[in-house]
């Protein structure tokens, strides 16, 4: 972000005149202490003995270079105005910068400090060289030292005779070059491509307007507030901040809050450098607060508060919940995800010339952030630019489904759903309920958005179902069937990754789980859900209180979740009744009757499995659940493979005996003999 060439020429002319004026003053001081030398200034030969006339000419030349009051000032004058330097302090800064900009200044400094002949600026030299000298110049509270515009070296010397230098960033600014201080580069990175806000997102116009108005008012003389961007839509919040920064003419930089130094001195240095940067050119800061476990939020917020209280400039904080105190006035703005209707428009914009049905189908199932829509569309089109609409729709669907997997994989186990409707053996009533669940997930955009139900209700827009029944009756397989039918990812919740002994961590993990599932349209399977959704107990101690808080949070989050959540249990009576009220479907999986057991036995062996003389009517007499039948069939297949022969009734009966023993059930030899009689005869 550098100024036009015409300004550079004007700045260079003014700086040349200012250095010539400085050389005349140094020459006059050298004469006063007994040293006279020839000096050159600009393109003309200056007199060997400078006098008042030479000084007046230098001052006149400098005045002639002043810009029109309506135009931008030379860099040194701009810097003086921003940091409120006195004329004496401005001259001292010019003297120190002159050492870097003019090779003749060092020799003149040595001659002006006769007989010590120090070839560098010092406070003592500045006090003798310029008018209106003030001792408070050396105070660490005055701008030159506070903002580290100049630095004093060699602590072994008396302070007044220490060598003075100018900060490299300040020298570059005076020359007209603007770039980020390299000491800040390891903490902040520029935001170059964060997406843009479009007319397709009217739901966020209020947030955009509120942020812009707050910063505009402050930049006109008020106190700059910190903008807290609330919500889970991180990419959309960054896009909003980027859009506001561009509108204000600022360059946006991103800082991860965890990289802030904990040591007070280092934090003070960082804050002061950033504040100085914000005064040198228009920059804005976007601070990301972590949203994961293992972070000491109290400590991090304290560090952030100290940092922000010591620096100014436009600042955005990406946080899910408001930070109570940030050391400055703050404005809290909710940044929600785009609505399904807005997502349809965004998909249409990202897929020009394609069938609108593609975007409509994606928006109906996936809650993708605005910034991700364009990125997913561009990457998919780049991989296969010649794909037709049908093929492109499949690839886009897969990309959206995979977008949330990294976040979900940390908290849940993905199930590779392969079972189909033909693999499921259940009574007609249960099958019809499962098909209704699948149909409601597929048609929810039509009912909620097109038919207006979403405008009448803001909770309960998700679909939750309870699968209850004995172990092995097909609850998990039913979840697989629905996921396969809808082409969605299925995740079984890993309680060891979700439940934490630390207060508040379980709720935080569940929040991240639900949010990630909403992004990727995933189906959540809470297997053995009674461990999480158990009944609330009477509060007798703090453990009971916090356990009830976790259940209360689950109740609220389940109701607000917009995807499909399946709760599976074989202990329905252990569930809190409040969960039952919030369930859209309750499907009871009965123990399979003889007809269902026969159908399961008929389907359990793959076509490739060699079988001989299996009597499914007799196998149906065995009182086994579907899960037990699958286990027995697999064991029988291994027995047959070891023997190098087909699966027979005899081997199935041996596998069934093992299965019953595993279950702790008595082995009814009469029942087995009846069921296996055909195999024995064979």
């Amino acid at each position: 972000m550098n100024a036009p060439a015409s300004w550079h020429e004007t700045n260079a002319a003014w700086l040349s005149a200012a250095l010539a004026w400085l050389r005349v003053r140094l020459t006059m001081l050298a004469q006063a202490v007994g040293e006279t030398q020839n000096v050159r200034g600009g393109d003309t030969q200056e007199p060997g003995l400078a006098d008042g006339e030479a000084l007046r000419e230098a001052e006149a030349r400098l005045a002639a270079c002043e810009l029109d009051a309506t135009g931008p000032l030379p860099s040194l004058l701009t810097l003086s105005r921003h940091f409120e330097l006195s004329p004496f302090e401005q001259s001292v800064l010019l003297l120190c910068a002159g050492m870097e900009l003019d090779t003749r200044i060092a020799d003149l400094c040595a001659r002006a400090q006769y007989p010590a002949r120090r070839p560098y600026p010092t406070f003592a030299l500045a006090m003798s060289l310029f008018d209106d000298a003030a001792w408070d110049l050396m105070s660490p509270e005055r701008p030159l030292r506070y903002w580290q515009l100049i630095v004093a070296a060699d602590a072994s010397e008396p302070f007044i005779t220490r060598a003075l230098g100018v900060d490299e960033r300040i020298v570059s600014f005076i020359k007209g070059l603007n770039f980020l201080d390299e000491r800040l580069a390891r903490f902040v990175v520029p935001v170059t491509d964060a997406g843009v806000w479009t007319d397709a997102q009217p739901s966020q116009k209020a947030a955009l307007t509120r942020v812009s108005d707050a910063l505009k008012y402050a930049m006109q003389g008020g106190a700059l507030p910190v903008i807290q961007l609330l919500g889970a839509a991180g990419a959309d919040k960054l896009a909003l901040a980027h859009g506001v920064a561009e509108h204000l003419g600022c360059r946006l930089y991103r800082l991860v809050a965890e990289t802030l130094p904990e040591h007070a001195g280092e934090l003070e240095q960082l804050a002061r450098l950033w504040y100085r940067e914000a005064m040198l050119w228009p920059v804005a800061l976007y601070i990301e607060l972590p949203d994961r476990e293992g972070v000491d939020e109290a400590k991090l917020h304290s560090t952030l508060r100290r940092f922000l209280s010591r620096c100014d400039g436009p600042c955005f904080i990406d946080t899910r919940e408001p930070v109570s105190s940030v050391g400055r006035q703050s404005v809290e703005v909710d940044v929600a995800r785009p609505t399904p209707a807005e997502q349809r428009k965004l998909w249409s914009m990202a897929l020009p010339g394609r069938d609108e049905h593609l975007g409509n189908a994606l928006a109906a199932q996936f809650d993708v952030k605005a910034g991700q829509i364009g990125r997913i569309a561009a990457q998919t089109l780049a991989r296969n630019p010649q794909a037709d609409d049908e093929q492109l729709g499949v690839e886009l669907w897969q990309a959206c489904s995979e977008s949330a997997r990294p976040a979900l994989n940390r908290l849940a186990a993905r199930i590779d759903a392969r079972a189909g409707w033909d693999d499921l053996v259940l009574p007609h009533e249960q099958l019809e309920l499962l098909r209704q669940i699948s149909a409601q997930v597929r048609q929810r955009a039509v009912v909620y958005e097109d038919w207006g139900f979403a405008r009448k209700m803001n909770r309960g827009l998700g679909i939750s179902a309870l699968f209850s029944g004995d172990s092995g009756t097909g609850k998990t397989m039913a979840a697989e069937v629905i996921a396969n039918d809808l082409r969605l990812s299925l995740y079984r919740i890993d309680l060891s990754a979700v439940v934490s002994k630390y207060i508040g961590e379980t709720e935080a993990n569940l929040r991240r789980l639900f949010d990630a599932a909403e992004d990727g349209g995933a189906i959540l399977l809470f297997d053995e859900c009674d461990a999480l959704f158990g009944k609330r107990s009477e509060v007798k101690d703090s453990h009971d209180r916090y356990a009830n808080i976790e259940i209360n949070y689950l109740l609220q989050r389940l109701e607000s979740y917009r995807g499909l959540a399946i709760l599976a249990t074989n202990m329905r009576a252990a569930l809190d009744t409040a969960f039952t009220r919030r369930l859209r479907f309750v499907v009871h999986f009965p123990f399979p009757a003889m007809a269902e057991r026969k159908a399961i036995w008929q389907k359990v062996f793959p076509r490739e499995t060699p079988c001989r003389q299996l009597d499914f009517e007799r196998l149906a007499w065995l009182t086994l659940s579907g899960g037990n039948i699958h286990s027995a069939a697999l064991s029988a297949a291994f027995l047959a493979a070891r023997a190098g022969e087909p699966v027979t009734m005899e081997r199935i009966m041996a596998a069934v005996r093992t299965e019953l023993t595993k279950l702790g059930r008595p082995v009814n030899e009469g029942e087995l003999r009846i069921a296996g009689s055909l195999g024995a005869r064979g």
Side-chain angles (χ1 to χ4, degrees), residues 621-672:
W621 279 89
L622 300 172
T623 55
L624 297 173
S625 68
N628 299 138
I629 291 174
H630 278 266
S631 296
L634 187 62
S635 297
F638 275 106
L639 290 173
R642 187 180 67 176
E645 297 179 357
V647 176
T648 62
M649 291 291 285
E650 181 181 3
R651 292 188 172 88
I652 291 177
M653 291 305 105
V656 168
R657 285 189 181 90
T658 302
E659 190 68 18
L660 292 174
T661 301
K662 180 184 72 176
L663 296 174
R665 286 172 50 183
V667 178
N668 189 330
E669 292 295 339
E671 182 182 13
L672 294 179

Side-chain angles (χ1 to χ4, degrees), residues 36-366:
T36 58
Q37 297 292 335
N38 290 333
V39 294
R40 291 184 179 274
D43 297 327
T44 62
Q45 179 71 34
E46 294 185 357
L49 298 176
D51 54 16
E53 182 61 28
L55 181 60
R56 284 190 291 274
E57 290 178 3
E59 290 173 343
R61 180 184 170 194
L62 182 59
C65 293
E66 295 286 354
L67 293 177
D68 186 279
T70 59
L73 296 172
S75 291
L76 183 57
L77 298 182
T78 300
L79 188 148
S80 298
R81 177 176 296 181
H82 286 338
F83 293 99
E84 299 180 347
L85 302 183
S86 68
F88 176 52
E89 289 169 328
Q90 177 180 311
S91 299
V92 173
L93 184 58
L94 175 65
L95 172 63
C96 296
M99 286 288 294
E100 306 288 340
L101 303 173
D102 191 331
T103 58
R104 292 164 285 187
I105 299 298
D107 185 57
L108 288 172
C109 286
R111 290 172 177 150
Q113 298 183 92
Y114 184 81
R117 300 186 64 84
R118 297 184 180 91
Y120 47 76
T122 64
F123 281 125
L125 174 60
M127 301 287 283
S128 303
L129 184 61
F130 301 118
D131 300 330
D132 303 323
W135 185 260
D136 67 350
L137 167 81
M138 297 188 295
S139 168
E141 298 300 321
R142 291 296 300 166
L144 286 181
R145 292 188 61 198
Y146 182 84
W147 296 113
Q148 301 178 19
L149 306 181
I150 64 172
V151 291
D154 193 5
S156 63
E157 287 279 333
F159 192 79
I160 199 168
T161 57
R162 290 181 191 173
L164 299 181
V166 65
D167 189 86
E168 178 185 352
R169 173 71 176 93
I170 301 304
V171 174
S172 300
F173 183 83
I174 291 174
K175 281 292 290 180
L177 300 177
N178 237 349
F179 53 82
L180 188 73
D181 191 309
E182 63 179 6
R183 288 166 292 185
L184 294 170
R186 66 190 181 98
F187 293 100
V188 301
V189 293
V191 178
T192 55
D193 182 18
V196 294
W197 288 96
T198 69
D199 291 337
Q201 294 171 267
S203 65
Q204 296 305 328
K205 283 187 177 179
L208 188 64
T209 301
R210 188 179 179 199
V211 172
S212 298
D213 289 348
L215 291 178
K216 279 182 181 178
Y217 170 77
M219 290 178 126
Q220 293 172 358
L224 269 178
V226 173
I227 307 298
Q228 296 196 50
L229 302 177
L230 312 179
D236 292 348
K237 290 189 283 188
L238 182 60
L240 183 146
H242 188 247
V244 172
E246 282 192 334
H247 184 66
L248 298 174
C250 296
R251 177 173 294 187
L252 185 66
Y253 286 87
R254 179 161 56 181
L255 167 70
V256 178
E258 288 175 283
T259 64
L260 288 172
E262 296 180 4
H263 188 273
E266 295 177 1
L267 186 68
E268 174 71 25
Q269 169 78 350
L270 177 64
R272 197 171 297 187
L273 286 176
W274 179 259
Y275 196 171
R276 189 181 77 174
E277 202 68 29
M279 296 175 73
L280 291 176
W281 64 331
V283 291
L285 188 61
Y286 183 88
I287 302 177
E288 290 183 351
L289 290 182
D291 181 29
R292 56 179 177 78
E293 59 181 325
V295 176
D296 188 342
E297 289 190 358
K299 186 176 183 179
L300 186 62
H301 289 177
S302 176
T303 302
L304 178 65
R305 182 164 53 251
R306 292 201 308 271
F307 173 76
L308 291 175
S309 65
R310 287 162 172 77
C311 67
D312 204 353
C315 180
F316 305 88
I317 297 180
D318 176 358
T319 177
R320 180 178 293 272
E321 303 293 340
V323 180
S324 58
S325 175
V326 294
R328 286 159 54 184
Q329 178 187 358
S330 69
V331 175
E332 298 170 5
V333 179
D334 286 306
V335 182
R337 305 166 188 265
T339 65
E342 291 171 351
Q343 290 186 42
R344 291 181 187 179
K345 292 182 180 179
L346 290 169
W347 279 115
S348 179
M349 293 167 58
L351 301 168
R354 297 287 185 165
D355 187 348
E356 282 190 1
H357 177 71
L358 288 178
N360 294 346
L362 294 169
Q365 188 56 57
F366 302 102

Side-chain angles (χ1 to χ4, degrees), residues 562-574:
R562 291 175 174 264
L564 171 59
I566 298 175
L567 285 63
T569 182
N570 53 9
M571 298 176 63
R572 179 178 175 180

